[in-house]
Amino acid sequence: MTSTEMTSNEPILTLLLAGPAVADEAPALADGAAEALGAAARLGTPVAVVVGAADALPQLAEAAASLGAARVLTAAVDPAQLGAPVADALAAAVAQEAPAAVLVSHSIEGSDAAGRLAARLRAPLAVDAVAVERDDEGIVAKHSVYGGGFEVTSAATYGPLIVTLRLGAIDHRAEAAAPQVSALEVGASGRPAAAVEGFESVVQASERPDLRSAKKIVSGGRGLGSKEQFALVEQLADTLGAAIGASRAAVDAGYVDQSLQVGQTGTSVSPDLYIAVGISGAIQHRAGMQTAKTIIAIDKDANAPIFEIADLGVVGDLFTIVPQLVQALEARK
Amino acid sequence: MKIVVLVKPVPDTYGDRVLNLETGLADRAASETVLDEITERALEAVIRHAEESAKSGAGDVEVIAMTMAPAESQSTLRKALAMGAASAVHVADERLAGADLVRTAEVLAAALRRAGADLIVAGNGSTDGSGGVMPSMLAELLELPAATRLETLEITADAVRGTRETDGGTMTVTAALPAVVSVTERMPDPRFPALKGIMGAKKKPLEVLTLDDLGAELEALGVELDETASARSIMVAATQRPAREAGEIITDDGTAGERIAAFLADRRLA
Ligand SMILES: Cc1cc2nc3c(=O)[nH]c(=O)nc-3n(C[C@H](O)[C@H](O)[C@H](O)COP(=O)(O)OP(=O)(O)OC[C@H]3O[C@@H](n4cnc5c(N)ncnc54)[C@H](O)[C@@H]3O)c2cc1C
Ligand SMILES: Nc1ncnc2c1ncn2[C@@H]1O[C@H](COP(=O)(O)O)[C@@H](O)[C@H]1O
């Protein structure tokens, strides 16, 4: 056996959180579970730490195995307590498994848990990674920084590396495994936690793909002019089977929800296709989308900076171009 | 009540941000250093709270701006003072160049312990790409509750409350003080410091601390200052991505929609 094969049996922990509870629907894992397990399978033996409300755990554990967890460790937490309890579970799993790495989705709850874990264990933390790999020295994480302008590789001097993975960045998927589930023994740290007073889930009204992992994205900006007219972006997205994104100006004007903001302070995306409609392409917007494989821009201002990075730039009125494009795409179907 | 706002000097995103490919550190000479926009908004929200408390007689709120950053970024703290913070704390020490997240959290936690805040307010993420984990790390080290990514901020004498957009929904959360919160860009636009504020800022206390000044607090937190004695995250390589080049630019002659459709079909994107 070569040394890489030997090390590749090391346990790689992945934190899998429960997704938001939706009435009348079976419990599901939060976004990013398949990606984290896919990344873990390339580094060693994927061991899932499944954390959620007690009654949801059996179903969540089964889902984790079907996504490739060789073993599943479960821990019940009170969903009304933020932060500390998840870190307690993760710390217990690290103590039990002595993993080579801990992979966590760079979601809101995921990055909060990873931050707490790293601080508690004083363990090296690599955030918002777009890839994790093994090289001669061990496990390394790759990051896309300064709006995709630079790629940086980071590693731990020793000990396990805790990594948060950018949602949508990992394409590899692990093979389904037979469920092998055990309950984790968690000693509560008693660290104070913030309390959840209420939760209103955003019901996914459409079948549209999720912005963070979509292969195609149509984004609209201030050029759309109103919330009603933003429907043009939705039409184009639906014709292409694309997700919807927006500039911060469109979000600030109330055309769409903040969760759809692309850019430096919104989501960073790397789809195969990004169509910018009525977006000038301010540097902070480009920071979140310039690593897309193909970029198409429609803007009436020939000097809009978005054209500097577009593979196809169209100078013209979006209100005539987009309907014609939708029609042409429908005709080709 | 004492509120510390964690402000962060970052390279201006309107400029060219450059990473030194050998050290992996920000090339600070390449672009201007400004206060991260979200931390400026956090400061604005807290200053407004202090002003309202003073007006309504609800009690004195002392606002302290704190940062850990190289010595040359001090002008950003002057700006925080000019906006209305009562005092500022600047942790600056050459030994902290290239500090990883855990080290940064340890040092900020020590400085926060020394300041003795009732509430610590941070931004939910900074534009130089650290990923928004600092508030949770600080809460862990200081053994405080954390309410992260608040879009609204309501501070009372003994608690803090707000709503947060989380994965899949809107959550209302509350934490008893002392606590750590992080806030998003939904906080109010920062004010432009008036001339009076700028002049007044010169007289306000701006304390510069080195690691030696934080010795007792670092020890209480169990911080190992010897770099080889603790595991660290290090940068092992950095490369610059080639700049993206503009492709074909066309002006609509009445057929642009069809041309885009053909372009998509050619590339098998539709
Ligand atoms: C610290 C910081 C962080 C930021 N983070 C983000 C971020 O994450 N994401 C983000 O997007 N922005 C961000 N911004 C804001 C950014 O600087 C821009 O203000 C914003 O991206 C502009 O959005 P826009 O392109 O929709 O609007 P505008 O710049 O106003 O552009 C609208 C465009 O629509 C075009 N247009 C108008 N009508 C038509 C028509 N009929 N047909 C065709 N074209 C038309 C106009 O020519 C114009 O180019 C940030 C700013 C700062 C300072
Ligand atoms: N060096 C620092 N000094 C002061 N505050 C910081 C520092 N680093 C991070 N923060 C705070 O933590 C928040 C999140 O930052 P980050 O984890 O870097 O994205 C920022 O908005 C600041 O409030």
Side-chain angles (χ1 to χ4, degrees):
Chain A
M1 218 198 273
T2 68
S3 64
T4 38
E5 277 172 67
M6 274 169 62
T7 50
S8 70
N9 289 330
E10 286 177 315
I12 306 293
L13 282 187
T14 58
L15 172 65
L16 307 186
L17 295 168
V22 181
D24 303 329
E25 277 188 32
L29 291 168
D31 286 346
E35 295 173 30
L37 288 167
R42 288 236 158 136
L43 301 175
T45 304
V47 177
V49 181
V50 168
V51 179
D55 56 350
L57 288 176
Q59 273 163 299
L60 297 178
E62 213 166 294
S66 75
L67 295 174
R71 283 185 291 122
V72 181
L73 313 174
T74 57
V77 292
D78 172 2
Q81 300 280 305
L82 283 183
V86 178
D88 292 351
L90 212 41
V94 171
Q96 180 181 310
E97 301 286 329
V102 181
L103 307 185
V104 180
S105 291
H106 194 72
S107 61
I108 291 173
E109 310 301 351
S111 53
D112 280 358
R116 277 193 177 263
L117 182 73
R120 190 176 301 183
L121 305 180
R122 312 283 165 102
L125 174 61
V127 292
D128 199 23
V130 294
V132 271
E133 288 163 15
R134 204 179 254 288
D135 71 8
D136 307 341
E137 314 262 322
I139 291 171
V140 299
K142 305 235 152 149
H143 313 261
S144 175
V145 307
Y146 286 173
F150 293 83
E151 185 172 273
V152 168
T153 307
S154 68
T157 51
Y158 57 86
L161 182 65
I162 302 170
V163 185
T164 68
L165 295 170
R166 182 179 291 185
L167 286 159
I170 308 288
D171 288 330
H172 184 69
R173 294 292 178 267
E175 265 171 55
Q180 207 182 313
V181 185
S182 56
L184 200 56
E185 260 182 58
V186 182
S189 65
R191 292 269 204 282
V196 180
E197 288 185 330
F199 181 73
E200 225 178 282
S201 81
V202 257
V203 191
Q204 283 286 330
S206 72
E207 300 287 294
R208 282 189 199 113
D210 182 56
L211 173 65
R212 295 170 296 194
S213 51
K215 294 285 167 216
K216 298 177 193 174
I217 296 169
V218 181
S219 264
R222 200 193 323 252
L224 269 303
S226 70
K227 191 179 168 122
E228 292 66 42
Q229 287 170 340
F230 201 88
L232 265 185
V233 169
E234 293 167 18
Q235 275 170 28
L236 179 54
D238 292 343
T239 309
L240 288 165
I244 289 179
S247 71
R248 179 154 108 179
V251 171
D252 285 348
Y255 303 170
V256 290
D257 190 75
Q258 204 275 334
S259 61
L260 299 184
Q261 180 172 318
V262 171
Q264 195 163 267
T265 48
T267 302
S268 286
V269 296
S270 253
D272 291 338
L273 173 66
Y274 189 89
I275 305 186
V277 181
I279 293 179
S280 64
I283 196 159
Q284 297 90 354
H285 185 79
R286 282 167 19 206
M289 46 65 74
Q290 63 190 356
T291 56
K293 288 202 186 80
T294 299
I295 298 173
I296 298 180
I298 304 171
D299 199 291
K300 68 178 179 190
D301 177 4
N303 295 320
I306 192 78
F307 291 129
E308 292 164 20
I309 59 163
D311 298 282
L312 176 64
V314 180
V315 183
D317 186 355
L318 70 92
F319 293 108
T320 58
I321 296 170
V322 174
Q324 189 184 57
L325 171 57
V326 170
Q327 220 174 25
L329 289 170
E330 294 291 356
R332 279 169 187 268
K333 273 189 182 166
Chain B
M1 176 184 313
K2 211 186 247 189
I3 304 181
V4 174
V5 181
L6 288 170
V7 294
K8 188 176 182 189
V10 295
D12 191 354
T13 61
Y14 284 104
D16 234 349
R17 294 179 296 166
V18 179
L19 204 63
N20 181 316
L21 297 183
E22 262 156 41
T23 62
L25 302 180
D27 181 346
R28 291 179 193 267
S31 45
E32 204 184 328
T33 300
V34 297
L35 271 186
D36 185 74
E37 190 215 1
I38 297 175
T39 64
E40 251 180 26
R41 288 174 184 268
L43 187 58
E44 175 66 35
V46 171
I47 291 170
R48 283 189 193 186
H49 170 70
E51 288 168 349
E52 276 154 29
S53 296
K55 218 181 286 166
S56 69
D60 259 0
V61 175
E62 182 188 347
V63 184
I64 304 170
M66 180 184 286
T67 197
M68 173 187 128
E72 56 273 20
S73 14
Q74 194 152 105
S75 60
T76 59
L77 280 178
R78 288 277 167 216
K79 176 164 187 202
L81 293 172
M83 280 176 67
S87 63
V89 179
H90 185 179
V91 185
D93 192 311
E94 277 171 16
R95 287 169 282 178
L96 291 170
D100 71 353
L101 286 164
V102 172
R103 171 54 42 98
T104 304
E106 287 172 338
V107 173
L108 281 174
L112 286 164
R113 230 183 130 104
R114 189 168 182 274
D118 299 296
L119 177 62
I120 297 158
V121 182
N124 72 316
S126 55
T127 59
D128 62 350
S130 293
V133 288
M134 195 52 61
S136 303
M137 296 181 86
L138 293 172
E140 181 67 30
L141 292 176
L142 295 168
E143 301 191 22
L144 296 177
T148 57
R149 323 240 174 188
L150 299 185
E151 312 236 306
T152 61
L153 182 65
E154 191 192 319
I155 304 164
T156 57
D158 49 15
V160 57
R161 168 183 281 107
T163 56
R164 61 200 293 260
E165 289 301 327
T166 70
D167 313 311
T170 306
M171 203 179 255
T172 314
V173 292
T174 177
L177 299 183
V180 178
V181 300
S182 73
V183 297
T184 72
E185 61 184 333
R186 299 293 114 196
M187 289 292 122
D189 284 335
R191 67 190 64 190
F192 290 106
L195 192 60
K196 197 168 143 234
I198 297 170
M199 298 309 290
K202 293 191 178 142
K203 296 192 206 89
K204 289 180 178 173
L206 193 166
E207 190 178 22
V208 180
L209 301 176
T210 66
L211 288 178
D212 299 325
D213 298 321
L214 293 170
E217 288 82 9
L218 287 166
E219 198 183 311
L221 287 164
V223 175
E224 202 44 90
L225 276 180
D226 173 7
E227 283 293 336
T228 53
S230 39
R232 293 284 159 216
S233 160
I234 49 166
M235 197 223 47
V236 291
T239 52
Q240 186 161 15
R241 208 174 296 228
R244 220 187 157 100
E245 278 171 32
E248 188 188 358
I249 311 282
I250 60 171
T251 302
D252 184 22
D253 59 359
T255 65
E258 277 146 27
R259 290 195 50 192
I260 301 173
F263 177 94
L264 290 172
D266 277 355
R267 301 204 175 194
R268 297 180 189 282
L269 288 168

